[in-house]
Amino acid sequence: MVGVASRPPAGKVIDSISEFHGDARTDPFAWLRRDDDPDTLLFLRENNAYADRMTAHLAPLRDRIQEELKARIVDADMSVPIRKGGWWYYGRSEPGAEHGIRCRVPAVDDRPPEPGRDDEQILLDENTLAAGLGHYALGVYDVSPDGRLLAYGVDARGDERFDIGFVDLEAGGSPVRAGITGAYYGGAWDAAGENYFYTTVDGVGRPCQVWRYNLATAYATEVYTEPDDRFWVTADLSRSERFVFIESHSPTTSEVRFVPATAPATPPRLFGHPRSDGVELLVEHQGDRFLVLHNTDAPNFVLSAAPVDDTAAWSTLLSHDPDTRLLTVDAFRDHVVVQTRSAGRRGITVLDHDGNRTGLPFADAVHTAHLTGNPTYATRHLRVAYSSMATPPAIMDYDLDTGEFAVRKRTTVPGFDPARYRQSREWAQAPDGTPVPMSILCRTDLPRDATAPGVLEVYGAYEHAVDADFDLSRFSLVDRGAVYAIAHVRGGGELGPAWHQSGRRLAKRNGITDLLACAARLAEAGWTAPGRLVALGASAGGLLVGAAANTAPHAFAGIVADVPFVDPLNTLLDPSLPLTVTDWDELGNPLADADVYAYIKSYSPYENVRQARYPAILALASHHDARVGYHEPAKWIAKLRHLASGGPFLLRTDLSAGHGGRSGRYEALRDLSFTLAWVLDAAGAAA
């Protein structure tokens, strides 16, 4: 059968900490990690062909879904223009084009421009950049403060490594220099637009160095190197354009340095205090002070201020609230904006210079809202993005003087009628009695008689919250009578830091049992039945659905594991792999702690595949994934076929993509329609 190891491994793979257990363990599928092994590539290609054969009967449904998805896209569209300096910036798309076109027009007044102006300047045509590439992603797009130059970075492989080029916008978009290779996301200009700060990665893909590239000399100077393997670095320009912030951060600790944007060669200066384990901070600049969001003795974070000339002298602006997590701080000339999360919902609070607070009002009980596109420091409006599971995204401007919203754009979805759908919040009860929330979307006429197909999405890690936002792809399921639920399990950030802490390290199993409790609740409440329910988990969510399949394979009709982290023990034992050292903060270090080793081994999806009947499983991988190696799902599927019954167990690997999948708005629809058709088939609704 395709997927079972076709030859013995090159040698036995022994645990590097075999003293922690009685007998050495061998891994018959370890050869699948060898990227240069022709047998590995053959295995991946054979599995792609096998998956295509096993799903050939779904081709008509895939085609219909792909056409549905395509029909929901507005071919020729334009984003809401953003004012910065003397220009309005926006993006637009053209019919049939895979990628967007980034443009600007001169700002003749305060009114956003209408489409089709003759004085439009194309800054970057991404279709031209992507031409001839097997993969394309833009990871750097940064106009200099004076609007004269553009830095842009392209990933042509899918491994999240970007080549940065520079364009002289005043000279008709002509390239200045080829620039920089092997950079990571983001960067920062100095005030004069003469130097560009960027990051590079080490051998395991960790962004660890900040460099300053001088465009006149084409010479890069090392600015800062982070020596601790647990920490990543970033470089960002403050909204005030006065400081470049260099942040070192692990999942639980951070430290900030800053460089005056007017003196870019100045050595970076430490902000506040040296790093302290468990203390995180986020810094912004406003006038004669810095704003710092931090969790010193405050798990939900507090907001403090510090003088620019004494960054260790902090005074509190917003005290700790045990019911509200402070997420981010944004500084404007006359206001401070704090984004929050309370009771699982996102909120936005505005503070003026006198400390008066205003919470922005939102209507839907289940929704998400966040700041977007606010580059101007001296603004009187806040640009806000708002949506819910049943409400297409809207871009709104909030007037800081009047407290009123002005809708600048509602996403047009051809044929979409929000009255056909309803959303709700449901609570499951975990085995230890903890209530676990779910966000649910369905048609208004859905019967609650356990006959509907169901989809249960989960993530549950890194304090990342899966917000109840709008996703067009869900409606190809919901319109066919499915109920779509998101399980906000422990390990995520939906209910604050304590929710995250209770689902990480030696409490990771809580996320697995929470997921199973949510599946059981959907059945008990009549939303669906186990024989019609498909679990969906991507990346860290793939760990949870894979572990749930081992624990209670009867709970699901099918499982989709997208770029799944299903071999955590072997990955965490190898510090040479990307993300391993930083993941020790989240899951523990099995190289250093026997209890951690035993605990991870007890729930690892790969380690615990057993001789039992499993649901149908679709594993999706990407060959150039820099976050979760393709070998993890490959080994997992091979082991399932070797030991388990049931299934089928399918592996599909994109040989030209990375962790985020295929690029291009139409190209991505082919893969998405494949997955959605498989989900409907597994749930018994593939008519």
Side-chain angles (χ1 to χ4, degrees):
M1 179 185 291
V2 173
V4 176
S6 58
R7 61 169 175 79
K12 290 184 177 181
V13 179
I14 307 298
D15 288 330
S16 57
I17 52 170
S18 57
E19 67 271 17
F20 283 167
H21 50 93
D23 57 325
R25 175 175 54 83
T26 62
D27 183 351
F29 305 108
W31 60 275
L32 287 171
R33 262 186 62 175
R34 292 168 53 185
D35 189 48
D36 58 347
D37 189 334
D39 283 353
T40 294
L41 290 173
L42 178 63
F43 174 90
L44 298 178
R45 292 191 180 101
E46 285 181 342
N47 270 272
N48 285 352
Y50 179 63
D52 288 342
R53 291 197 302 272
M54 292 294 290
T55 59
H57 63 290
L58 297 175
L61 178 59
R62 285 200 301 268
D63 291 343
R64 290 197 299 273
I65 291 175
Q66 185 170 344
E67 289 305 310
E68 290 171 9
L69 296 172
K70 187 175 180 180
R72 295 183 189 130
I73 296 175
V74 178
D75 255 346
D77 202 4
M78 175 178 166
S79 67
V80 180
I82 297 169
R83 175 75 180 268
K84 187 169 189 282
W87 300 89
W88 288 101
Y89 292 85
Y90 57 92
R92 59 178 176 84
S93 57
E94 293 185 342
E98 290 283 357
H99 305 282
I101 301 171
R102 298 180 183 240
C103 312
R104 71 181 181 182
V105 295
V108 295
D109 52 37
D110 290 334
R111 291 176 298 176
E114 296 296 327
R117 275 184 38 175
D118 293 337
D119 55 354
E120 175 184 86
Q121 180 183 6
I122 293 177
L123 307 185
L124 211 60
D125 185 341
E126 296 189 62
N127 299 287
T128 301
L129 288 177
L133 300 180
H135 177 86
Y136 165 82
L138 190 70
V140 177
Y141 178 77
D142 200 355
V143 178
S144 61
D146 60 7
R148 183 173 54 90
L149 298 169
L150 168 68
Y152 69 95
V154 173
D155 169 15
R157 179 178 163 88
D159 57 2
E160 301 179 82
R161 307 292 183 269
F162 299 90
D163 293 342
I164 299 177
F166 298 95
V167 173
D168 187 336
L169 301 177
E170 291 184 344
S174 60
V176 176
R177 292 188 183 277
I180 300 155
T181 60
Y184 202 61
Y185 293 97
W189 285 101
D190 70 355
E194 297 172 352
N195 295 271
Y196 194 71
F197 292 80
Y198 66 97
T199 56
T200 56
V201 300
D202 61 13
V204 298
R206 175 182 69 102
C208 63
Q209 287 186 305
V210 175
W211 300 80
R212 177 174 51 83
Y213 181 84
N214 183 275
L215 273 72
T217 64
Y219 183 76
T221 302
E222 181 182 339
V223 177
Y224 176 74
T225 297
E226 173 53 58
D228 192 326
D229 290 344
R230 299 173 300 161
F231 286 75
W232 291 25
V233 294
T234 59
D236 296 289
L237 183 64
S238 67
R239 183 178 281 106
S240 67
E241 298 178 348
R242 282 188 52 190
F243 295 98
V244 174
F245 291 120
I246 297 171
E247 180 188 348
S248 296
H249 62 89
S250 77
T252 59
T253 306
S254 54
E255 182 180 63
V256 175
R257 290 168 172 80
F258 59 98
V259 175
T262 55
T266 304
R269 176 183 164 194
L270 179 69
F271 176 87
H273 312 279
R275 69 187 65 171
S276 176
D277 282 347
V279 175
E280 301 174 68
L281 60 155
L282 178 66
V283 179
E284 253 291 9
H285 168 254
Q286 185 192 53
D288 59 358
R289 65 181 182 174
F290 288 112
L291 301 167
V292 53
L293 203 66
H294 63 98
N295 64 341
T296 308
D297 300 321
N300 274 344
F301 287 70
V302 298
L303 178 64
S304 299
V308 167
D309 57 1
D310 187 2
T311 63
W314 297 0
S315 58
T316 300
L317 298 179
L318 280 180
S319 301
H320 183 257
D321 183 341
D323 298 321
T324 301
R325 164 74 152 95
L326 307 185
L327 299 173
T328 64
V329 58
D330 287 89
F332 300 88
R333 185 188 63 189
D334 301 316
H335 291 80
V336 175
V337 181
V338 178
Q339 300 187 73
T340 64
R341 188 180 296 280
S342 181
R345 300 179 182 88
R346 290 190 66 135
I348 299 173
T349 298
V350 178
L351 288 76
D352 64 18
H353 274 306
D354 297 324
N356 299 311
R357 307 178 194 177
T358 303
L360 274 61
F362 299 109
D364 294 310
V366 180
H367 71 268
T368 182
H370 57 89
L371 296 192
T372 181
N374 289 278
T376 301
Y377 182 58
T379 186
R380 303 303 304 169
H381 297 85
L382 293 179
R383 180 67 52 84
V384 177
Y386 175 87
S387 73
S388 73
M389 294 183 79
T391 308
I395 302 297
M396 306 181 291
D397 281 346
Y398 177 78
D399 192 308
L400 290 164
D401 296 318
T402 67
E404 296 179 350
F405 282 108
V407 177
R408 298 304 180 195
K409 180 176 182 178
R410 293 190 187 278
T411 298
T412 301
V413 183
F416 180 80
D417 180 4
R420 295 184 59 203
Y421 309 100
R422 60 188 169 97
Q423 56 188 342
S424 59
R425 176 64 53 87
E426 185 98 20
W427 294 82
Q429 188 175 60
D432 63 1
T434 301
V436 182
M438 288 184 287
S439 298
I440 295 177
L441 172 71
C442 65
R443 283 191 339 216
T444 54
D445 61 351
L446 183 83
R448 293 281 291 271
D449 59 2
T451 62
V455 178
L456 183 59
E457 178 186 349
V458 70
Y459 187 78
Y462 308 109
E463 204 183 337
H464 172 73
V466 182
D467 286 312
D469 58 4
F470 191 80
D471 186 337
L472 277 172
S473 66
R474 295 172 185 154
F475 293 92
S476 288
L477 304 173
V478 172
D479 285 347
R480 288 175 169 82
V483 57
Y484 196 102
I486 302 171
H488 304 292
V489 304
R490 283 175 282 186
E494 289 87 347
L495 298 179
W499 195 247
H500 171 226
Q501 293 293 334
S502 60
R504 66 189 283 265
R505 292 201 175 187
L506 296 179
K508 187 63 181 176
R509 276 191 169 276
N510 284 337
I512 302 164
T513 54
D514 286 357
L515 172 61
L516 292 171
C518 289
R521 177 58 189 165
L522 290 174
E524 292 166 4
W527 288 108
T528 187
R532 305 211 70 185
L533 180 62
V534 176
L536 191 159
S539 197
L543 188 160
L544 296 186
V545 298
N550 291 330
T551 305
H554 57 277
F556 304 102
I559 286 174
V560 176
D562 189 5
V563 290
F565 188 26
V566 285
D567 190 16
L569 181 60
N570 286 304
T571 293
L572 293 171
L573 287 170
D574 188 349
S576 72
L577 290 175
L579 300 185
T580 288
V581 175
T582 53
D583 271 342
W584 288 344
D585 269 325
E586 179 73 14
L587 298 172
N589 181 357
L591 280 170
D593 190 317
D595 291 336
V596 169
Y597 178 95
Y599 188 74
I600 295 172
K601 187 172 183 178
S602 75
Y603 67 72
S604 165
Y606 177 71
E607 297 293 334
N608 291 283
V609 172
R610 54 195 175 93
Q611 293 180 338
R613 185 170 186 81
Y614 279 70
I617 293 177
L618 172 63
L620 302 168
S622 290
H623 192 222
H624 300 301
D625 195 331
R627 296 175 183 256
V628 179
Y630 68 86
H631 61 274
E632 293 201 27
K635 290 169 57 181
W636 180 52
I637 290 296
K639 193 170 184 180
L640 280 164
R641 289 179 179 154
H642 186 63
L643 289 177
S645 60
F649 310 122
L650 304 183
L651 171 68
R652 206 161 186 258
T653 306
D654 193 318
L655 298 177
S656 63
H659 195 66
R662 193 174 288 269
S663 60
R665 56 176 180 162
Y666 297 113
E667 280 190 3
L669 298 185
R670 289 196 290 273
D671 292 339
L672 183 55
S673 62
F674 181 97
T675 302
L676 295 176
W678 188 92
V679 167
L680 289 166
D681 190 42

